[in-house]
Amino acid sequence: MEPSVQFTIPPGLTDLLEEFVVKCIQENPNDLVEFAAEYFNMLRLGRKKKDSKASKEASSPPSKPEKKESVEDKDEPQEPPKMPARGRRRAVAAEAYNPHENNAEVKPVVHPKTDEQLQRLKKSVENILLFKSCDRDQLKEILNAMFEKKVKPEDEIIRQGDDGDNFYVIDNGVFDVFIENGGKAVKVHTFKDSGSFGELALMYNCPRNATIIAKSEGIIWALDQATFRRIVVGAAARKRQMYEALLENVPMLAELQSYERMNLADALETKIFNEGECIIREKDGADCMYFIEEGTVRVTVSDKEISQLTKGAYFGELALVLNQPRSASIFAFGGEAKCARLNVDAFERLLGPCMDIMKRNIGEYEKQRKKLGLDS
């Protein structure tokens, strides 16, 4: 009888592979091997940067390998935390999802609502980031499919470890978020009269990663998993692919890695401007930049047209890079102009490499200023 062979799992392997699997599910790469190589290479580079920074800040021996930040380390979580790292975590078992699959035969779910309910629902979802990728028809279908649920104090809305069934949007009320840590329920966040939760379990077909309990009477709106995945997840996937294709043709971003363009694509938000509508105004403060998806815009300085820009062009970045007021006005021209908006917070937070590129090419911006009839 052969002796049994025992294997030891290296510390951190489980978490590392689970995170990679989730990233694969999110990105759905065409070339998995290339994607894996880039993913782990960026992980390695990120660790080197942290090690280098740590060695500069202190002369003490190298610290232990970085421990994954726990939810308890955050002072004020702004949303339900992701599954905490405590021993072996639950594996993600995401269903295969094809955003291009034909949903023409799917019969939309409709829950009738009064005008008053519909108005409350529209107000509740207007700032939900997950719905930003949806067009008007998709948003209408989502609103039709959502149903109202009234809750009482101590009602348990979702329980950590359970299977996901619905995505929830808060109409009103107070809701506490708890996660189990060391056998104890730790409160990590409180929602009050706004917010949403429950999307992670639906997106990745994994167990709930938190427990949410009503602390007051309130009303929430629920959206079933099938509708959520078909519309919200599908719209997000299509939006990312569309934006990535747009960004690949922007010269300013040519040196960015594909994962950096993915982050940029996720931060963009489509805005539609009517004929003649002012998009940015000369001398105003800068809070965003734009990439043109469809249509044409005209550039003016002191009410004089300087140029026109079409699909694939971008504008508004000059004021962000130079930290100066707008040097020109931009108007939609010849019909609607569809533009992807990137706000200044996302610009500074996500595009550090892009900022470096633009600063190195500051001469190009000076040429643009001269072209606009401005002094350097």
Side-chain angles (χ1 to χ4, degrees):
M1 182 174 181
E2 295 183 358
S4 60
V5 179
Q6 294 184 345
F7 297 94
T8 301
I9 299 176
L13 177 63
T14 302
D15 286 351
L16 178 67
L17 293 181
E18 285 184 6
E19 289 168 0
F20 173 66
V21 170
V22 170
K23 197 65 177 177
C24 287
I25 293 168
Q26 291 175 317
E27 311 300 348
N28 192 23
N30 294 325
D31 188 334
L32 185 58
V33 174
E34 180 67 22
F35 179 81
E38 184 173 271
Y39 174 87
F40 287 109
N41 184 49
M42 294 311 302
L43 201 62
R44 180 175 61 85
L45 292 175
R47 186 176 63 181
K48 283 187 175 182
K49 289 181 180 179
K50 289 179 181 178
D51 291 343
S52 175
K53 182 179 179 181
S55 65
K56 292 179 180 179
E57 292 177 347
S59 58
S60 58
S63 59
K64 295 180 180 180
E66 182 185 1
K67 184 178 181 181
K68 199 171 182 181
E69 181 185 24
S70 65
V71 176
E72 297 89 317
D73 295 332
K74 298 182 180 180
D75 293 331
E76 296 181 358
Q78 297 303 308
E79 60 184 21
K82 296 186 178 180
M83 194 172 296
R86 47 184 180 87
R88 289 183 61 85
R89 293 161 56 190
R90 292 177 178 271
V92 176
E95 298 173 350
Y97 182 79
N98 178 7
H100 301 293
E101 64 187 0
N102 185 4
N103 293 311
E105 298 180 0
V106 177
K107 186 177 180 180
V109 177
V110 177
H111 292 281
K113 300 173 184 66
T114 65
D115 290 341
E116 184 270 339
Q117 286 178 312
L118 189 57
Q119 291 303 315
R120 284 194 290 109
L121 176 56
K122 287 180 177 179
K123 183 177 179 180
S124 297
V125 305
E126 62 184 2
N127 293 317
I128 300 298
L129 184 61
L130 284 169
F131 295 162
K132 295 295 185 181
S133 304
C134 301
D135 59 31
R136 282 170 288 194
D137 290 338
Q138 291 170 330
L139 186 57
K140 181 179 179 181
E141 187 175 345
I142 289 172
L143 296 180
N144 286 336
M146 299 188 80
F147 58 93
E148 184 183 73
K149 183 175 180 180
K150 297 182 178 180
V151 300
K152 299 178 181 178
E154 303 307 320
D155 279 356
E156 186 178 77
I157 314 304
I158 62 176
R159 175 182 286 275
Q160 183 173 347
D162 285 355
D163 292 333
D165 53 358
N166 296 314
F167 168 68
Y168 296 98
V169 175
I170 297 171
D171 186 319
N172 60 74
V174 179
F175 301 82
D176 285 342
V177 183
F178 299 87
I179 65 164
E180 182 184 340
N181 191 324
K184 296 181 180 180
V186 179
K187 185 169 76 171
V188 296
H189 186 62
T190 298
F191 290 105
K192 186 176 181 181
D193 295 329
S194 65
S196 60
F197 53 87
E199 71 277 10
L200 293 179
L202 306 191
M203 292 173 70
Y204 308 129
N205 195 34
C206 62
R208 297 293 195 186
N209 67 348
T211 296
I212 298 185
I213 298 176
K215 303 308 295 182
S216 71
E217 290 188 349
I219 296 175
I220 54 178
W221 296 95
L223 180 66
D224 67 274
Q225 183 183 39
T227 303
F228 179 89
R229 286 176 61 82
R230 178 171 57 85
I231 299 180
V232 180
V233 179
R238 287 187 290 271
K239 170 203 166 190
R240 167 178 280 179
Q241 292 174 349
M242 176 190 70
Y243 282 155
E244 285 181 348
L246 174 68
L247 297 175
E248 283 177 356
N249 296 318
V250 176
M252 179 183 73
L253 307 177
E255 296 184 37
L256 293 184
Q257 300 293 328
S258 62
Y259 86 97
E260 292 171 324
R261 279 195 293 271
M262 289 177 189
N263 288 336
L264 175 56
D266 288 340
L268 294 176
E269 178 184 358
T270 294
K271 296 287 186 181
I272 297 177
F273 299 93
N274 296 322
E275 160 73 23
E277 185 175 353
C278 183
I279 303 173
I280 63 176
R281 190 174 299 280
E282 187 177 355
K283 297 182 180 180
D284 279 357
D287 61 352
C288 64
M289 68 170 293
Y290 294 92
F291 300 88
I292 302 176
E293 297 180 48
E294 296 177 7
T296 302
V297 302
R298 56 192 295 263
V299 184
T300 69
V301 174
S302 301
D303 297 326
K304 178 181 179 182
E305 182 174 315
I306 301 299
S307 65
Q308 294 183 7
L309 304 174
T310 57
K311 181 177 179 179
Y314 55 91
F315 57 89
E317 83 291 351
L318 181 61
L320 297 182
V321 174
L322 299 178
N323 194 27
Q324 295 178 350
R326 298 295 193 188
S327 58
S329 294
I330 310 288
F331 299 88
F333 181 72
E336 283 188 347
K338 188 176 182 182
C339 302
R341 182 182 187 273
L342 180 68
N343 68 44
V344 63
D345 291 334
F347 184 89
E348 295 174 348
R349 184 178 72 253
L350 301 176
L351 293 184
C354 187
M355 283 289 290
D356 292 339
I357 292 168
M358 289 185 286
K359 287 178 180 177
R360 288 200 304 266
N361 296 327
I362 196 69
E364 278 300 311
Y365 293 108
E366 296 302 333
K367 291 180 182 178
Q368 290 185 37
R369 291 172 63 82
K370 290 179 180 179
K371 183 178 180 181
L372 296 174
L374 302 170
D375 294 332
S376 297

